């Protein structure tokens, strides 16, 4: 099978062997689920319940706060004990609904099959997806129904289902493709129908030959869905790089995939959509890879949203040693956690525990101008200069060097032999530039 | 959960194994074959000059950093690289003090005065060579002929120190400025059985080192390949007896071209970081080298061309910023 790829990128140690062969097993129900009202990109939800209310599994408990927003649902049955700010894995305090589980796991009456995609209209499918609270499960958590409602002047012709899973360590998408193959395809068909598109491509990195084989077999019945192998290279699963690899087209700077007639959704999102249509169960659980050398028994778990990290770490045998760093997501783009008392949210693809040794910050040296960051940057930027200006507080110069086009993949910092904080400083510059633009605009 | 002391920092949370000292060490390793070749063809004398030069570079760096109360970074191997490259640019007959002055100048003036590693705008070894050439022109051009049987002698290292017999280098012969002498065979030139500076003599040894650097991704192909190709094509076209009568292979194998193209023009600090800029750097070095060799006052043009392009590098870089991903044509 021919493989496709993009320019730039890196080859980190993938470390997927910790969990790649471990089937997804259900995690225990949390005793207390903390459901933040903001788990997605966009406006926060408005709570529909108050302390003291009884809730059931799948019941909508937070209403979308706007078009770019999705509702949240109870992931356990029990009683709402608090509506208060709680620490969110993103690092801030976020208004959250705290539910004490009754252990019964009683499903809400409204959770009913929504019919068959062949009979549902595009609009009905989009509504189901929106009401199910589905936001990109790849990590970015962008509301899926928004992607499926492109502006009318943009003609979408291709749906790409992202099974690249290029972040090291993570294997939950890999396992989903093996274990929920049919759901992934069902979800793909639903997305295609919602967009009125006749071509779908499921794209998988070639370090997962079993997933490619399973998908090839399962898609053989569908002439309009193709499976494509991607070269294993980080960040192969980054939206723009994925589109470039598959279609050869570059999403314009500052633009959206729809500008080149494409919509990209993650395999986990597709499988969740399939469940929402087939059973009516909204997004209340997701697959999470709990892994790293700092974890005793790494595993892939099916986890209810709102389950605290600490419980999952205990479920995987606890820490192997004194932990150095706990990260939500993968090592390249994940977010380091202050506390284990944070809940799994819709975008939690993994919990990675690094040992103390691995977590040690490298010593920063002066830039030797080796250009490795330039060669690695998939966005064709000059990270050494953006970073230099960012660190000097010269954000206008950083902007001239296209700081805003940085996708924050971290390839530059990864490659830098002088261990310079490249993406770290570029990220700061991006925030300052965005703030300036808001002020000016 | 008990209060764990977790490290919180911004992503990425993993880094590659590469390091500054690792890269510099790779350069040293890549230069070892040429050191061996120098020992074979020029004897212990060459090793002595190399040793003095490295020791001076490292000591100068340590002393200056100590005096300036900066962290002493001699363990990053960069001073060793500078010392080695400077020695490679000296004739094997160089007296010890020439190596000391050159090395100290390279580190103290060219490198540290501008703020240390990666702030110098000229290649330290080449700038020092130019300084020595201007100050002691005769000492710097006293080429030695390698021991006649050096290649076949059982213990080449036991060769007696080479006498400072001035011989014509192939380049001088090619140019016709020195009538005495005859062009050595291409094979001798490739292996290194010819006169020249300590490091430039053996193309074979240098190419082994260059292959190592390319393999380890310490350097990329752009500057050296474009440089050498430019010299080859231009010297072939601009032959002494009309178009396409040149001897490109001689021009490629002799003088410091291979040394310069792979080990000096690729110096990170003094060459552009942009891909297109690197190609222009190679082209520029090639054109200037050929112009000096064929029409200039010196037989050799590699060091001056690289120094010239060092000065131009920041400008080249500014005009070769790559088109960013997704840049719309006409809306730069
Ligand atoms: S990778 Fe690091 S040392 Fe190399 S040019 Fe970029 S910032 Fe400088
Ligand atoms: S500059 Fe941005 S896009 Fe480029 S490698 Fe660094 S993080 Fe990735």
């Amino acid at each position: 099978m021919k493989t496709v790829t993009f320019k730039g990128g890196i080859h980190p140690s993938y470390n997927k062997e910790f969990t790649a062969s471990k089937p997804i097993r259900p995690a225990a129900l949390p005793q207390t689920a903390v459901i933040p009202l903001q788990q997605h990109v966009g406006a926060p939800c408005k709570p529909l319940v108050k302390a003291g209310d009884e809730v059931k599994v799948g019941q909508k408990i937070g209403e979308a706060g706007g078009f770019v927003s999705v509702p949240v649902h109870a992931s356990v049955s029990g009683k709402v004990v608090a509506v208060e700010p709680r620490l969110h894995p993103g690092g801030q305090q976020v208004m959250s609904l705290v539910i004490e589980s009754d252990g019964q796991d009683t499903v809400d009456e409204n959770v009913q099959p929504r019919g068959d995609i062949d009979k549902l209209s595009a609009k009905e499918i989009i509504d189901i997806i929106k009401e199910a609270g589905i936001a990109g499960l790849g990590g970015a958590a962008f509301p899926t129904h928004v992607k499926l409602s492109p502006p009318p002047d943009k003609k979408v012709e291709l749906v790409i289902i992202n099974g690249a899973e290029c972040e090291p360590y993570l294997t939950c998408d890999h396992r989903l493709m093996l274990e929920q193959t049919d759901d992934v395809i069902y979800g793909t068909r639903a997305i295609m129908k919602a967009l009125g598109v006749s071509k779908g491509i499921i794209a998988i990195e070639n370090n997962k030959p079993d997933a490619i084989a399973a998908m090839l077999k399962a898609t053989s019945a569908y002439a309009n869905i193709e499976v494509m192998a991607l070269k294993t290279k980080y960040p192969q699963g980054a939206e723009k790089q994925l589109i470039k690899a598959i279609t050869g087209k570059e999403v314009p700077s500052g633009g959206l995939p729809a500008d080149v007639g494409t919509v990209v959704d993650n395999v986990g999102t597709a499988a969740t959509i399939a469940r929402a249509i087939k059973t009516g169960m909204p997004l209340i659980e997701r697959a999470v890879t709990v892994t790293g050398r700092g974890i005793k028994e790494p595993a892939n778990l099916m986890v209810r949203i709102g389950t605290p990290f600490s419980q999952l770490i205990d479920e995987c045998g606890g820490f192997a040693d004194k932990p150095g760093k706990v990260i939500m997501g993968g090592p390249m783009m994940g977010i380091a956690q202050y506390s284990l008392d944070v809940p799994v949210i819709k975008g939690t693809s993994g919990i990675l525990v690094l040992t103390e040794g691995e977590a040690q910050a490298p010593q920063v040296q002066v830039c030797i101008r080796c250009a490795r960051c330039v060669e690695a940057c998939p966005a064709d930027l000059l990270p050494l200069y953006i970073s230099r200006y960012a660190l000097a507080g010269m954000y206008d110069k950083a902007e001239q060097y296209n700081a805003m086009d940085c996708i924050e993949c971290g390839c530059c910092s990864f490659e830098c032999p002088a261990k310079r904080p490249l993406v770290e400083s570029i990220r700061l510059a991006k925030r300052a530039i965005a703030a300036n633009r808001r002020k000016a605009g | 959960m008990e209060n764990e002391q977790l490290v919180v920092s911004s992503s990425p949370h993993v880094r590659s194994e590469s390091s500054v000292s690792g890269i510099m060490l790779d350069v040293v390793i890549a230069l070892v074959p040429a050191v061996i070749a120098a020992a074979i063809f020029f004897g212990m004398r060459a090793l002595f000059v190399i040793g003095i030069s490295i020791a001076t570079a490292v000591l100068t760096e340590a002393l200056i950093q100590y005096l300036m109360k900066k962290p002493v970074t001699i363990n990053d191997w960069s001073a060793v690289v500078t010392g080695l490259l400077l020695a490679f640019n000296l004739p094997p007959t160089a007296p010890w003090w020439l190596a000391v002055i050159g090395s100290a100048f390279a580190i103290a003036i060219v490198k540290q005065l501008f703020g240390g590693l990666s702030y110098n705008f000229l290649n330290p070894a080449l700038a020092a060579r130019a300084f020595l050439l201007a100050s002691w022109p005769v000492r710097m051009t006293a080429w030695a002929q390698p021991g006649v049987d050096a290649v076949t002698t059982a213990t080449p290292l036991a060769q007696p120190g080479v006498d400072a017999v001035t011989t014509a280098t192939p380049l001088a012969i090619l140019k016709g400025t020195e009538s005495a002498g005859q062009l050595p065979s291409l094979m001798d030139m490739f292996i290194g059985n010819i006169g020249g500076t300590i490091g430039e003599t053996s193309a074979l040894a240098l190419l082994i080192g260059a292959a190592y650097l390319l393999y380890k991704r310490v350097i990329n192909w752009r500057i050296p390949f474009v440089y050498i190709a430019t010299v080859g094509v231009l010297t072939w076209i601009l032959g002494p007896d009309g178009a396409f009568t040149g001897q490109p292979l001689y021009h490629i194998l002799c003088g410091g071209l291979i040394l310069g193209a792979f080990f000096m023009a690729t110096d990170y600090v003094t060459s552009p970081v942009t891909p297109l800029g690197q190609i222009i750097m190679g082209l520029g070095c090639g054109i200037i080298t050929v112009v000096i060799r064929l029409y200039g006052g010196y037989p050799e043009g590699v060091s001056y061309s690289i120094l010239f392009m060092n000065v131009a590098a920041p400008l080249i870089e500014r005009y070769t910023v790559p088109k960013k991903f997704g840049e719309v044509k006409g809306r730069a």
Side-chain angles (χ1 to χ4, degrees):
Chain A
M1 191 173 213
K2 145 178 174 298
T3 61
V4 293
T5 193
F6 62 100
K7 178 168 142 262
I10 55 170
H11 296 279
S13 309
Y14 283 94
N15 286 308
K16 299 215 185 224
E17 61 285 354
F18 288 115
T19 52
S21 56
K22 304 223 173 131
I24 300 169
R25 65 166 204 255
L29 292 179
Q31 271 155 19
T32 310
V34 176
I35 316 277
L37 289 168
Q38 172 117 46
Q39 302 182 29
H40 49 264
V41 174
C45 293
K46 298 185 198 67
L48 295 174
V49 292
K50 53 186 188 313
D53 288 356
E54 296 283 337
V55 293
K56 291 182 186 154
V57 177
Q59 180 184 336
K60 181 154 86 174
I61 54 175
E63 183 59 275
F67 176 63
V68 184
S69 180
V70 285
V72 292
H73 303 83
S75 57
V76 290
S77 58
K79 195 157 101 189
V80 178
V81 292
V83 181
E84 62 186 24
R86 284 289 184 104
L87 187 61
H88 181 280
Q92 329 78 341
Q93 296 281 336
V94 169
M95 192 55 83
S96 305
L97 303 167
V98 184
I99 308 169
E100 212 171 79
S101 169
D102 58 12
Q104 302 299 312
D105 214 20
T106 321
V107 175
D108 191 61
E109 306 73 49
N110 288 327
V111 175
Q112 295 297 337
R114 304 290 149 131
D116 191 83
I117 37 175
D118 293 325
K119 306 220 177 66
L120 293 166
S121 72
K123 178 157 186 323
E124 282 168 329
I125 293 176
I126 294 175
D127 282 342
I128 294 170
I129 290 172
K130 176 168 190 206
E131 277 308 301
I134 297 175
L137 270 73
F142 188 78
T144 302
H145 69 271
V146 180
K147 279 191 186 178
L148 300 186
S149 318
D153 58 316
K154 308 251 190 284
K155 180 91 192 73
V156 175
E157 285 156 351
L158 173 67
V159 165
I160 298 174
I161 300 300
N162 187 351
E165 198 164 54
C166 60
E167 267 275 5
Y169 287 97
L170 303 185
T171 59
C172 55
D173 285 353
H174 181 185
R175 294 308 309 179
L176 274 181
M177 288 188 281
L178 289 177
E179 297 170 32
Q180 303 183 7
T181 320
D182 292 334
D183 275 355
V184 171
I185 293 168
Y186 193 93
T188 306
R189 288 169 55 217
I191 294 168
M192 287 164 64
K193 175 138 192 200
L195 285 162
V197 165
S198 57
K199 188 167 164 62
I201 292 178
I202 300 174
I204 307 169
E205 273 191 351
N206 62 359
N207 60 353
K208 299 179 259 294
D210 50 351
I212 294 176
M215 280 295 168
L216 272 176
K217 188 151 162 261
T219 51
S220 57
Y222 303 98
N224 53 359
I225 303 180
E226 203 184 306
V227 177
M228 217 181 236
L230 305 163
K231 202 170 148 197
T232 301
K233 181 165 76 167
Y234 177 86
Q236 185 65 74
E239 202 166 63
K240 293 181 177 186
Q241 278 58 41
L242 186 63
I243 294 171
K244 169 86 184 186
I246 289 176
T247 68
K249 292 183 200 157
E250 289 188 10
V251 176
S253 164
L256 291 172
D259 291 326
V260 289
T262 310
V263 161
V264 181
D265 274 307
N266 166 270
V267 285
T269 310
T272 308
I273 290 174
R275 268 199 302 281
I277 296 173
K278 286 192 203 163
T279 68
M281 185 56 86
L283 173 47
I284 55 140
E285 62 177 4
R286 64 156 299 145
V288 177
T289 303
V290 183
T291 184
R293 289 185 182 78
I295 277 283
K296 268 216 188 94
E297 298 152 20
N300 285 304
L301 300 174
M302 188 54 81
V303 182
R304 295 292 167 93
I305 304 293
T307 307
F309 280 24
S310 50
Q311 178 190 322
L312 298 179
I313 287 167
D314 287 343
E315 266 196 76
C316 293
F319 293 126
D321 205 341
K322 198 165 173 311
K325 215 188 242 187
V326 176
I327 297 158
M328 176 175 85
M332 292 304 298
M333 292 187 77
I335 304 172
Q337 300 298 313
Y338 296 90
S339 156
L340 301 174
D341 204 11
V342 288
V344 165
I345 57 173
K346 293 173 183 176
T348 308
S349 47
I351 298 174
L352 168 62
V353 181
L354 300 182
T355 61
E356 261 188 316
E358 292 172 318
Q360 235 155 43
Q363 205 195 336
V364 176
Q365 289 171 284
V366 293
C367 166
I368 55 168
R369 295 176 39 88
C370 67
R372 289 185 182 204
C373 54
V374 179
E375 305 278 343
C377 179
D380 288 338
L381 307 178
L382 300 178
L384 72 163
Y385 289 125
I386 309 180
S387 163
R388 179 195 291 173
Y389 291 123
L391 289 173
M394 296 160 74
Y395 298 126
D396 49 331
K397 285 292 266 184
E399 192 173 0
Q400 277 170 31
Y401 275 94
N402 303 320
M404 293 314 268
D405 286 275
C406 168
I407 59 168
E408 302 186 24
C409 63
C411 290
C412 48
S413 295
F414 177 85
E415 280 287 294
C416 180
K419 314 293 166 198
R420 301 202 56 78
L422 297 172
V423 63
E424 296 88 329
S425 55
I426 295 172
R427 207 175 271 139
L428 291 181
K430 282 179 72 177
R431 264 184 229 148
I433 295 166
N436 271 341
R437 282 186 185 171
R438 272 198 299 278
K439 246 186 274 160
Chain B
M1 204 106 211
E2 69 273 36
N3 225 349
E4 305 282 356
Q5 279 296 313
L6 295 175
V7 179
V8 178
S9 61
S10 156
S11 64
H13 307 287
V14 284
R15 302 295 191 116
S16 65
E17 298 288 320
S18 68
S19 68
V20 174
S21 54
I23 288 176
M24 297 296 167
L25 183 58
D26 272 342
V27 177
V28 173
I29 292 171
L31 290 170
V32 166
V35 171
I36 296 171
I40 292 174
F41 296 116
F42 300 122
M44 290 310 279
R45 174 91 209 154
L47 285 187
F48 173 72
V49 175
I50 292 172
I52 294 262
S53 181
I54 294 177
T56 310
V58 173
L59 286 177
T60 311
E61 175 131 309
L63 187 69
I64 289 192
Q65 288 178 330
Y66 176 77
L67 290 178
M68 290 168 83
K69 302 205 165 36
K70 289 202 286 190
V72 176
T73 57
I74 49 172
N75 57 357
D76 72 8
W77 290 91
S78 67
V80 176
V81 170
T82 302
L84 247 176
L85 286 176
L86 177 84
F88 274 23
N89 278 291
L90 298 175
T93 56
W96 63 270
W97 52 266
L98 203 63
V100 169
I101 294 177
S103 227
F105 180 88
I107 296 286
I109 309 291
V110 192
K111 184 175 173 188
Q112 289 296 345
L113 202 65
F114 287 100
L117 182 60
S118 93
Y119 288 95
N120 49 289
F121 69 95
L122 292 177
N123 182 313
L126 281 182
R129 173 199 162 119
F131 163 74
L132 295 179
L133 202 55
S135 313
W136 294 276
V138 180
R139 288 283 188 184
M140 282 297 286
T141 49
W143 311 120
Q145 190 71 355
V148 184
D149 274 321
V151 191
T152 49
T153 316
T155 53
L157 287 179
Q159 285 287 315
V162 184
D163 295 313
V165 181
T166 317
T167 58
T169 66
L171 268 180
I173 300 169
L174 266 181
K175 194 163 186 170
T177 48
E178 287 183 51
S179 49
Q182 193 184 348
L183 277 177
S185 79
L186 274 177
M187 200 53 190
D188 274 349
M189 292 182 53
F190 182 65
I191 306 230
N193 199 13
I194 49 166
T197 68
I198 290 179
E200 71 190 18
T201 184
S202 170
L204 175 64
L206 290 167
L207 287 175
I208 293 171
Y212 176 75
L213 289 188
L214 286 167
Y215 168 74
K216 296 280 275 184
R217 295 197 311 134
V218 170
I219 58 172
N220 69 52
W221 61 272
R222 293 189 198 98
I223 294 176
F225 281 58
V226 173
Y227 187 175
I228 292 171
T230 307
V231 170
V233 170
L234 285 182
T235 52
W236 179 47
I237 295 178
L238 306 170
D241 309 316
F244 305 107
T245 61
Q247 305 210 41
L249 267 182
Y250 273 95
H251 273 283
I252 289 172
L253 290 178
C254 69
L257 180 60
I258 301 218
L259 176 65
F262 284 101
F263 295 93
M264 316 240 239
T266 52
D267 174 34
Y268 293 151
V269 179
T270 53
S271 64
V273 295
T274 58
L276 181 60
Q278 292 172 348
I279 288 174
I280 294 175
M281 171 97 185
L283 255 174
C285 285
I287 294 171
I288 300 173
T289 301
V290 171
V291 168
I292 296 180
R293 278 189 181 181
L294 298 184
Y295 311 108
Y298 300 95
E300 174 58 307
V302 168
S303 19
Y304 287 114
S305 66
I306 296 175
L307 283 173
F308 185 86
M309 293 308 286
N310 285 168
V311 177
L315 196 68
I316 296 173
E317 199 169 85
R318 202 162 319 143
Y319 286 102
T320 54
V321 174
K323 179 183 93 58
K324 68 185 176 191
F325 185 98
E327 187 159 310
V328 181
K329 279 196 202 85
R331 199 200 336 141

